[in-house]
Amino acid sequence: MFWRMVKGAFLRQKGKMLMIAFTIALGASLAAAMLNVMLDVGDKVNQELKTYGANINVLPKGASLLDDLYGVGEGSGVSDQYLKESELGNMKTIFWAHNIVDFTPYLNAKVKLAAQDSEVKLVGTWFSHHLDLPTGESLDTGMESMKSWWDVSGQWLADQDENSAMVGSLVAGRNNIQVGDTITLESGERTKKLTVKGIFNAGSDEDEQIYVPLPTAQELADRAGLVSSVEVSALTTPDNELARRAAQNPNSLSIKEQETWYCTAYVSSICYQIEEVITDAVAKPIRQVAESEGAILEKTQLLMLLITILSLVGSALGISNLVTASVMERSREIGLLKAVGARNSPITWLVLTEILITAVVGGVVGYFAGLGFAQIIGHSVFGSAIDIKPMVIPLVAVLVALVTLAGSIPSIRLLLSLRPAEVLHGR
Amino acid sequence: MKRQTMYFRMITSSLIRRRSRMLVALLAVAIGATILSGLVTIYYDIPRQMGEEFRSYGANLIFVPGGGDSALNADEVKKATGFIPAEDIVGIAPYRYETVKINEQPFMAAGTDLNEVKKTSPYWFVSGQWPAGSGSVLIGQEVVERIRLSPGDTFTLSGTDIGGKSFSHDFTVSGIVQTGGTEEAFIFMPLSDLEGLMGNSGVLDVVECSISATQQVLNDIAGQVGENVDDVTPRLVKRVTQSEGTVLTKLQALVYLVTVVVLLLTMICVATTMMAVVAERRREIGLKKALGAANKSIIKEFLGEGLLLGGLGGLLGVALGFAFAQTVSINVFARSISFQPLLIPATLIVSVAITGLACLLPVRSATDVDPAIVLRGE
Amino acid sequence: MNLLELQDISKIYGNVKALQNIDLTVRQGEWLAIMGPSGSGKTTMMNIIGCMDKPSNGAVILDGTNISKESAKSLTGIRRDKIGLIFQQFHLISYLTALENVMVAQYYHSMPDEKEALQALERVGLGDRARHLPSQLSGGEQQRVCIARALINYPMLILADEPTGNLDEANEGIVLDIFKQLHKDGSTIVVVTHDPEVAEEAQRTVVLEHGRIARIVENEK
């Protein structure tokens, strides 16, 4: 009989139940969409922040970052240190290999532009380099993807353009170099003629430099197979207390802490792991990028969290409100049931069962609609799909259940407290 | 008694005397309005708030010597900084670089305003203390590796001033700076100290400005400075400005889409609740029709109630929404949010429109109801 | 003079014939009762008399005009001006006071007039309960408010649907007394009921069976 009444209620109040299910579906879809987006926003924004370029700098041990400050050129001690180009692939074998988004080697050399006295800094690098890794994977990396802010007139070089160069806007301006010109570079007794394929404006010291493919620079500088630094762009977790302590001194941590640190994508642990795979290297976080990334990531996540909470509270109140409204609407029916002698608990169960069945239907539909919304947001904002987190399912389920109960129980109690006669006559 | 008075009495009575139901409806409208005004406030304030966060990437505009000059003139710099709107300035740090020696080894000393550096380069990691005044310096990590010094140590700095006389002065290390960049090879001291050592003042090599503004505004500032101040060349730090533009646009797009989705769903939620509240009153509509009310007057009454509810709920929502946006802003950005006065009428109009519409739909279908339903049971 | 004439009225819902070939005349000032068991077509007839429904066939002539072909909108106007309705369930608006409930009828008709509404309530003996909400009134009191509301616009025809169906004996007496007074004052009253005692108070009783008039009884008195 109980189920017959439930069934009857559904058939007779099709429209009303549909509306409740619809609203619950809306609420659930909102919750599912927001939770999925919120849980994935960290990764997505992290990817976006890669436009700021490298956050780790890998140098040979003992090399100075200011190689040219005191006029101490190559060969005179301090900066005569190099990394091996052949070891770079190792970076994709570390624990956090998947977090290494891009890396680019640089070989710096001093050259003379023919017919000019002053020296110009020549940099050899990968522009867009295809790398087959020992693990069998392959990787496309290089400077083009790491210097997204460069303003290039002409073209970016490709790695096979060994007889071409890109010239910084300041060098080009001083020496009247145009795209398409041929320049001659001299280093010691070696000379090379290069075609200028692009002139770039980087808005920094790089504008004073000339960029060529790595083999060209290695040939000119007579440093076959060597690079002077590597810039690495990695996805990192914002630093916390543990990471700060580890950065000061990794040995101060207990073994367990060390393990946690090693297995979290802190910039310091990624640096540590890079040092492990490249001989005589020092990996330093570029704090300007690493630190700011952390700050912005945290803010964005917190912001999304609060917006999510607002929309969850909003949809929760919305649903429970509607449920309250629809239960109150049934005062007459409940009065009648009481009048014919039904006790409180069966009436409560009857109404609750109906509403919960509606809620389940609405919740399931809503969850899938929410996934759709999340993907719309993901594709239109970040151009990639939002990762669907299974943990959202129980969250949405609990939310919907709690909210419908919270919406229906007080109103049912209210209606039960009314005397049947009052309800039936003149409301 | 006038007809309007009776009309007003009917709708206010309906709201006041049917307290519990109307509270449900009012709550629904208020939630919708809160979400609307809260999210829109956040949406509008995001670029400003986030923009300030992005200042942690450091300077986005630098001044370098213009033309053939090898140094900046402090007066010219002052003229140039005058073109930056004062309220947008996060920090302006001047730098003067000179070669000095410690134990006969050459080093670079940078004279600057360390308080401004703290603002323009918030990413510096200093172990020890920032220098409090004259005589104490920050030294870079790389310097430390070459001459063992730790915070609190004293060392002697020597060199030759611009007059060719040699000097020698003791300094205390107050902190060691780590940045992962070239700064690690410098010794940072107050500008006045360096000027004292060198024997002249008013000369700068570079000025770093951190300005809370969009790329467009920065371009304008750079343009003005370039035109009006001869000896100063402004340069945008592209890595910072361009990337900030990209990321900020994405973030705003994200909040925008989220706002649209949340609003859409909330408004539908509000509408369904209102519809449930109104649908309950089919009998009343039937009765009024039986009493000879024209459809128009019934619609007018429900619309009146809806508008009143929408207005009240909207007002409540404006206040709650602002409170919410304020909470978010203080929690996330530790700053208060700017109030958008235009949002008051906008929220009111939207909530009135939504409630009105939500009332109208069920009432319209209810007015098709046969008045005869009131005669016998249901 | 005839206030209302039903000429060969039929009402068909799908394939159910609710009313078949009804002919009935109600004179000005007459008190008529309509009786019949459930399903005999009482409600349908009342809907047609009360201008809330139209017959499938036949003509309804109210106050000299044929209204059987009028649109729903103009029927609403006719109902407002010429008919006073009294319901078994009273149907007072729950959030309005007794006085305001009466004034609502004035409001839809023309102009709300508080004084006149109060007088109407006094006439049914509720002058002191005018400011009470329906939930604070007894069933009998609610029915009297309903009657006051029906009378406020001086309708040509008072149509009452089981006016005593929800009342105890004492209140039934009060309501019938009001009807008698109305009748004495010259109002035309049609009462639909299945209570023979109520029907007896009328001048004529029309008995419906299976959608047809089975007989018309003239009550002596």
Side-chain angles (χ1 to χ4, degrees), chain B residues 28 30 40 52 65 78 119 155-156 271 287 295 308 318 341 344 357-358:
Chain B
V40 173
E52 272 178 50
K78 200 163 253 167
K119 292 181 214 154
F155 64 95
T156 309
L287 166 73
N295 286 351
L308 212 59
V318 168
I344 300 178
L357 208 69

Side-chain angles (χ1 to χ4, degrees), chain A residues 64 284 287-289 321, chain B residues 24 57 142 179 184 239 257:
Chain A
S64 169
K284 288 183 172 187
R287 296 195 66 88
Q288 181 183 12
V289 177
N321 223 328
Chain B
V24 166
Y57 276 105
E142 207 174 294
T179 66
E184 292 190 0
R239 168 198 179 110
L257 258 187

Side-chain angles (χ1 to χ4, degrees), chain A residues 51-255:
Chain A
T51 59
Y52 276 97
N55 50 2
I56 295 173
N57 207 352
V58 186
L59 297 166
K61 243 180 211 156
S64 169
L65 287 160
L66 280 182
D67 50 6
D68 52 354
L69 251 184
Y70 331 108
V72 211
E74 290 97 79
S76 50
V78 272
S79 60
D80 200 9
Q81 308 272 347
Y82 295 96
L83 300 170
K84 294 194 189 77
E85 187 187 353
S86 56
E87 285 184 341
L88 297 184
N90 292 355
M91 257 188 269
K92 288 298 275 185
T93 61
I94 64 167
F95 186 81
W96 283 109
H98 284 294
N99 282 34
I100 308 257
V101 180
D102 279 305
F103 59 89
T104 309
Y106 296 97
L107 176 67
N108 302 329
K110 285 278 158 81
V111 294
K112 268 188 188 160
L113 269 169
Q116 300 278 336
D117 277 344
S118 59
E119 287 193 313
V120 181
K121 197 169 159 191
L122 177 77
V123 182
T125 186
W126 292 346
F127 292 92
S128 49
H129 189 77
H130 182 82
L131 199 62
D132 286 310
L133 300 172
T135 53
E137 293 168 75
S138 69
L139 172 75
D140 286 294
T141 183
M143 209 176 65
E144 192 173 343
S145 52
M146 288 176 74
K147 306 277 183 186
S148 56
W149 63 90
W150 277 22
D151 192 0
V152 178
S153 56
Q155 272 181 308
W156 276 94
L157 291 195
D159 269 32
Q160 54 275 18
D161 295 333
E162 295 197 0
N163 293 314
S164 307
M166 283 176 85
V167 182
S169 57
L170 293 181
V171 180
R174 252 200 319 274
N175 299 301
N176 240 334
I177 300 174
Q178 310 286 334
V179 175
D181 287 0
T182 304
I183 51 173
T184 311
L185 300 180
E186 298 173 4
S187 168
E189 52 271 25
R190 291 173 293 274
T191 58
K192 198 155 175 78
K193 272 189 195 302
L194 298 170
T195 315
V196 177
K197 274 189 90 177
I199 292 177
F200 62 86
N201 179 2
S204 68
D205 294 345
E206 291 148 348
D207 291 343
E208 298 269 14
Q209 301 167 356
I210 296 176
Y211 280 75
V212 294
L214 188 58
T216 312
Q218 283 169 340
E219 184 197 327
L220 263 170
D222 195 18
R223 295 283 183 272
L226 299 176
V227 300
S228 29
S229 70
V230 184
E231 282 188 353
V232 182
S233 180
L235 296 176
T236 59
T237 310
D239 275 7
N240 63 3
E241 191 48 41
L242 177 68
R244 272 184 275 272
R245 270 169 52 210
Q248 297 267 349
N249 180 8
N251 296 327
S252 69
L253 306 177
S254 70
I255 293 183

Side-chain angles (χ1 to χ4, degrees), chain B residues 106-129:
Chain B
F107 283 100
M108 246 343 192
T112 182
D113 181 342
L114 286 157
N115 283 326
E116 291 292 317
V117 171
K118 248 190 212 177
K119 292 181 214 154
T120 53
S121 309
Y123 53 88
W124 282 21
F125 182 75
V126 174
S127 25
Q129 302 285 316

Side-chain angles (χ1 to χ4, degrees), chain B residues 36 163 303:
Chain B
L36 172 76
L303 211 55

Side-chain angles (χ1 to χ4, degrees), chain B residues 63-329:
Chain B
F63 294 143
V64 293
D69 297 349
S70 60
L72 285 163
N73 182 323
D75 295 333
E76 293 292 314
V77 169
K78 200 163 253 167
K79 222 167 116 191
T81 52
F83 287 98
I84 308 171
E87 67 272 16
D88 291 340
I89 297 177
V90 176
I92 295 178
Y95 288 93
R96 175 178 177 178
Y97 300 111
E98 296 293 346
T99 315
V100 293
K101 285 180 175 164
I102 305 173
N103 297 337
E104 290 310 307
Q105 285 194 61
F107 283 100
M108 246 343 192
T112 182
D113 181 342
L114 286 157
N115 283 326
E116 291 292 317
V117 171
K118 248 190 212 177
K119 292 181 214 154
T120 53
S121 309
Y123 53 88
W124 282 21
F125 182 75
V126 174
S127 25
Q129 302 285 316
W130 282 79
S134 157
S136 49
V137 299
L138 276 184
I139 58 173
Q141 178 70 27
E142 207 174 294
V143 178
V144 173
E145 277 159 21
R146 288 173 52 195
I147 39 166
R148 301 272 156 216
L149 284 172
S150 42
D153 291 354
T154 306
F155 64 95
T156 309
L157 204 68
S158 55
T160 47
D161 66 14
I162 49 158
K165 278 193 285 180
S166 48
F167 60 78
S168 167
H169 198 281
D170 283 353
F171 284 95
T172 313
V173 177
S174 67
I176 295 165
V177 63
Q178 277 175 293
T179 66
T182 49
E183 294 90 344
E184 292 190 0
F186 289 96
I187 298 164
F188 293 94
M189 60 176 68
L191 184 59
S192 54
D193 280 9
L194 189 64
E195 287 173 343
L197 291 176
M198 301 312 296
N200 69 335
S201 61
V203 181
L204 297 171
D205 285 303
V206 62
V207 178
E208 290 190 350
C209 310
S210 177
I211 302 162
S212 173
T214 59
Q215 206 175 352
Q216 186 57 44
V217 175
L218 286 172
N219 267 327
D220 291 349
I221 294 173
Q224 281 176 332
V225 172
E227 266 175 41
N228 297 312
V229 190
D230 291 338
D231 300 333
V232 172
T233 307
R235 284 173 67 187
L236 292 186
V237 183
K238 283 208 138 160
R239 168 198 179 110
V240 174
T241 54
Q242 198 112 330
S243 308
E244 178 175 325
T246 322
V247 178
L248 219 52
T249 315
K250 292 263 159 127
L251 273 182
Q252 212 178 359
L254 173 69
V255 178
Y256 173 73
L257 258 187
V258 164
T259 307
V260 168
V261 169
V262 172
L263 278 187
L264 205 73
L265 298 188
T266 316
M267 292 309 152
I268 299 177
C269 250
V270 171
T272 50
T273 306
M274 283 306 297
M275 278 158 82
V277 169
V278 173
E280 195 187 354
R281 296 166 70 182
R282 282 169 65 94
R283 276 172 158 273
E284 187 185 321
I285 294 168
L287 166 73
K288 284 179 172 172
K289 283 195 78 169
L291 288 181
N295 286 351
K296 235 175 36 196
S297 34
I298 294 175
I299 289 173
K300 221 169 80 188
E301 280 152 33
F302 276 87
L303 211 55
E305 277 181 34
L307 298 189
L308 212 59
L309 263 181
L312 280 177
L315 271 183
L316 214 62
V318 168
L320 287 177
F322 182 66
F324 167 77
Q326 186 72 272
T327 317
V328 167
S329 181

